[in-house]
Amino acid sequence: MAQFQSLQEAVRDNLRDGDTVAFEGFTHLIPHAAAHEAIRQGRRDLTLIRMTPDIIYDQMIGMGLAKKVVFSYAGNPGVGLLRRMRDAIENGWPRSIETVEHSHAAMANAYEAGAAGLPCAVFRGYRGAGLKDVNPEIRSVTCPFTGEELAAVPAHRPDVAFIHAQKASRRGDVLVEGIIGVQKEAVLASKRAVVTVEEIVDDFDDLHPNLCVLPHWTITSVAHVPGGAHPSYTHGYYERDNAAYLEWDKVSADRDLFMQWMKTNVLEKAPDVFAERVKGL
Amino acid sequence: MASITDFTPNEMMTIAASRALSNDDVCFVGIGAPSAACNVARLTHAPDITLIYESGTIGTAPDVLPLSIGDGELCETALTTVSVPEMFRYWLQGGRISIGFLGAAQLDRFGNINTTVIGDYNKPKVRLPGGGGAPEIATSCRQVFITMKQATRGMVEKIDFYTSFGHGEGGDHRRRLGIATQGPTLLITDLALWKPDPETKEFTVVSLHPGVTRSQVQDTCGWTVRFAERVEETPPPTELELTTLRELQARTERAHGGKKGS
């Protein structure tokens, strides 16, 4: 049953050192405020799962929170590379990290399998691809009916998922719309789920019945954080702050500049700054 | 007004790529040159082409090029937007996509693509972003088109990592791996159009862009280039094509504050 909490409380109660955690959002609705709270609370030894690690994992890896990253595209979308993640992989700074690399199709299928309560995902993938030679979690099964060889990967089963969404009702039901990514699957695959939302409304009585809604009993905690996806965006509320993504390329290129930026913009701030950041977008 | 005698190799590449697309195509679009080419096609000769981005947007028609595969405008202008698992399972794996459009950091003569690492995987010289959707785009779309700016650093004898499988070692290698789709059928560079040899599957130059010489193509390619028996000259951009591309990029630049999205 969803509890309404401050983001500080939600992170404190749901994310523990050593956890396997997914902060999801496919370009849209990336839970930046939640990731910043995790950084402020200084969680350690996390296994981070995410299709496109994006700026938030670049920041968490750069601050030394991660011991392992499971991913399928380590880029700053539309801009270039994730420089903090690269520094950890290439130079072990600030610590070395283990990586488990997949394709998007594998990651999406692994979340879906997790949500479906299956031990693994089966799909037609990785044919001729090099990843299956470097990732021992990519195996194959033979279809018992046709004899076709198919790829198999273990289901994602995070301890906790963090997502951002448009609305929660007073009961704690959550509405996600626009590019809905893999968030529903990430929530249903996880033991606990924390959702930050732009807005809390009385009920969802006037909504179209086919909208993507996660019932309150699938959610552990809801935190009201307007602007909580910035510099990603929330469809219907504010646009993607492309300039911030471009700026990150410069900030993340230098270790000292990065540490200074994190101090000023994350460590010394609280979740309420996000509402200010999306004004005018 | 754009002059058709004055265009850059990059513009020629994008326009040549756009010409390869037709109105009936359902195209899985990558960011960068593929996205520019697909949208020029949509704004010129293929107004009904279906563009799909891996974020889940189906039948999208953006006014500016997206900076990422999940920009809001892709969703706002799409016929429908589906979840990412559905995109990969029903639409891509389900065989609904006619063309997959990919770029490459490293490419070999058989259309195998590396966007993962330069150097050894476990001790990379350069860690690149990785495959994202590409490993399955390369095997599930009916055909694959590749765009690439020619450089000996990128067009190499042997790629460091098989992110996306093209024709492997050539010949019937795809079939032997149980891949039923055609794979790379066209390579569009800033200098030439290349098609695979029907037997060996090695990319062969079939058309040189205006003013480009054979030695320019060879000097910017890391393998010994094969030319088709008859090499055509790519028609230069028309005024409509060039104006459409430049206006699209100018709108994009204004929208993204200096970043072209291509």
Side-chain angles (χ1 to χ4, degrees):
Chain A
M1 202 62 71
Q3 245 189 313
F4 284 87
Q5 292 183 296
S6 71
L7 184 57
Q8 289 95 327
E9 292 167 336
V11 170
R12 188 196 61 209
D13 292 355
N14 289 292
L15 182 63
R16 292 149 203 168
D17 287 353
D19 268 357
T20 296
V21 54
F23 290 77
E24 275 296 351
F26 204 81
T27 311
H28 178 218
L29 294 174
I30 297 171
H32 274 264
H36 284 188
E37 187 55 35
I39 292 169
R40 277 190 294 272
Q41 295 193 15
R43 291 292 177 281
R44 312 296 302 175
D45 297 328
L46 300 175
T47 293
L48 302 174
I49 302 182
R50 184 176 162 82
M51 293 186 67
T52 302
D54 201 87
I55 291 179
I56 55 171
Y57 281 9
D58 213 28
Q59 294 173 343
M60 294 172 84
I61 292 164
M63 295 300 282
L65 275 66
K67 69 168 182 195
K68 181 173 171 181
V69 181
V70 184
F71 71 102
S72 46
Y73 184 83
N76 176 350
V79 177
L81 303 160
L82 288 179
R83 300 184 186 283
R84 294 297 94 226
M85 183 167 171
R86 266 185 67 185
D87 203 11
I89 294 173
E90 293 171 13
N91 309 308
W93 193 93
R95 59 175 286 181
S96 58
I97 52 169
E98 188 188 337
T99 57
V100 177
E101 184 167 3
H102 280 291
S103 65
H104 277 348
M107 291 287 281
N109 277 288
Y111 274 123
E112 204 180 46
L118 289 168
C120 72
V122 173
F123 65 111
R124 190 179 287 127
Y126 286 127
R127 289 183 174 169
L131 277 179
K132 61 181 177 348
D133 302 324
V134 295
N135 178 355
E137 291 197 343
I138 300 168
R139 304 207 189 148
S140 65
V141 294
T142 305
C143 170
F145 306 103
T146 64
E148 184 179 358
E149 193 179 305
L150 298 161
V153 294
H156 287 334
R157 287 288 174 80
D159 294 301
V160 52
F162 287 85
I163 66 165
H164 186 74
Q166 274 89 358
K167 291 181 172 72
S169 72
R170 298 219 176 273
R171 212 161 56 152
D173 303 320
V174 169
L175 169 75
V176 191
E177 58 182 347
I179 288 172
I180 54 176
V182 73
Q183 288 96 300
K184 182 176 181 174
E185 291 76 12
V187 163
L188 296 180
S190 298
K191 296 189 191 99
R192 303 181 293 280
V194 176
V195 187
T196 54
V197 294
E198 292 292 332
E199 197 180 353
I200 294 168
V201 298
D202 285 338
D203 55 54
F204 287 166
D205 291 353
D206 57 346
L207 293 184
H208 191 278
N210 295 122
L211 283 169
C212 179
V213 170
L214 285 156
H216 60 95
W217 45 269
T218 65
I219 306 292
T220 319
S221 182
V222 176
H224 182 212
V225 187
H230 179 270
S232 163
Y233 69 104
T234 299
H235 194 105
Y237 289 78
Y238 49 90
E239 290 185 9
R240 190 174 192 259
D241 188 350
N242 285 326
Y245 278 89
L246 294 169
E247 191 205 345
W248 183 252
D249 198 48
K250 298 192 188 83
V251 171
S252 61
D254 181 89
R255 289 176 186 171
D256 294 336
L257 187 59
F258 162 75
M259 289 307 292
Q260 188 52 48
W261 193 96
M262 293 303 291
K263 186 165 176 287
T264 312
N265 294 283
V266 181
L267 298 178
E268 293 172 354
K269 293 282 192 285
D272 56 6
V273 298
F274 278 84
E276 203 58 42
R277 288 177 185 166
V278 301
K279 277 187 183 155
L281 287 177
Chain B
M1 188 60 71
S3 160
I4 59 160
T5 55
D6 178 27
F7 54 88
T8 67
N10 249 351
E11 288 174 329
M12 185 70 251
M13 173 171 78
T14 305
I15 287 165
S18 80
R19 288 174 186 159
L21 299 163
S22 78
N23 226 10
D24 298 330
D25 277 322
V26 177
C27 190
F28 210 99
V29 187
I31 287 295
S35 177
C38 290
N39 281 289
V40 168
R42 180 178 61 80
L43 294 166
T44 56
H45 67 279
D48 295 326
I49 188 170
T50 299
L51 302 186
I52 294 183
Y53 288 73
E54 66 191 20
S55 55
T57 56
I58 297 179
T60 185
D63 187 47
V64 301
L65 296 175
L67 188 68
S68 77
I69 38 81
D71 278 21
E73 199 188 346
L74 293 174
C75 178
E76 279 154 24
T77 60
L79 176 65
T80 184
T81 298
V82 301
S83 73
V84 169
E86 177 177 327
M87 176 53 71
F88 282 96
R89 290 179 70 78
Y90 302 175
W91 301 92
L92 180 61
Q93 183 180 260
R96 297 276 171 186
I97 319 279
S98 60
I99 311 280
F101 220 128
L102 298 172
Q106 276 186 337
L107 178 78
D108 72 15
R109 71 180 75 200
F110 295 112
N112 300 301
I113 289 174
N114 172 22
T115 57
T116 303
V117 286
I118 306 296
D120 180 68
Y121 183 80
N122 292 309
K123 271 244 146 269
K125 232 183 286 170
V126 183
R127 175 65 232 198
L128 300 168
E136 281 75 28
I137 292 172
T139 52
S140 288
C141 296
R142 268 168 257 157
Q143 297 182 62
V144 173
F145 293 170
I146 301 167
T147 56
M148 178 99 188
K149 276 171 83 168
Q150 291 213 191
T152 48
R153 201 173 57 153
M155 295 171 80
V156 296
E157 193 67 48
K158 193 172 177 354
I159 59 175
D160 290 348
F161 192 86
Y162 276 62
T163 306
S164 311
F165 191 78
H167 295 289
E169 293 160 2
D172 66 348
H173 200 171
R174 282 178 79 84
R175 290 278 173 275
R176 281 189 276 129
L177 292 182
I179 306 168
T181 54
Q182 289 182 64
T185 53
L186 182 64
L187 165 63
I188 309 112
T189 70
D190 51 340
L191 302 181
L193 294 179
W194 309 56
K195 286 188 178 170
D197 178 275
E199 291 299 315
T200 67
K201 303 293 181 192
E202 175 180 345
F203 269 128
T204 306
V205 174
V206 295
S207 182
L208 292 168
H209 299 339
V212 173
T213 64
R214 290 183 179 217
S215 61
Q216 271 176 286
V217 174
Q218 181 61 74
D219 290 348
T220 50
C221 182
W223 65 79
T224 305
V225 178
R226 273 198 54 201
F227 293 87
E229 233 165 80
R230 219 181 104 97
V231 176
E232 314 268 341
E233 182 178 296
T234 314
T238 66
E239 201 159 306
L240 173 68
E241 288 169 333
L242 205 51
T243 310
T244 304
L245 173 61
R246 287 178 180 173
E247 286 177 0
L248 177 64
Q249 286 182 327
R251 285 198 300 276
T252 301
E253 214 159 323
R254 280 195 300 276
H256 298 325
K259 178 80 181 178
K260 280 185 179 168
S262 70

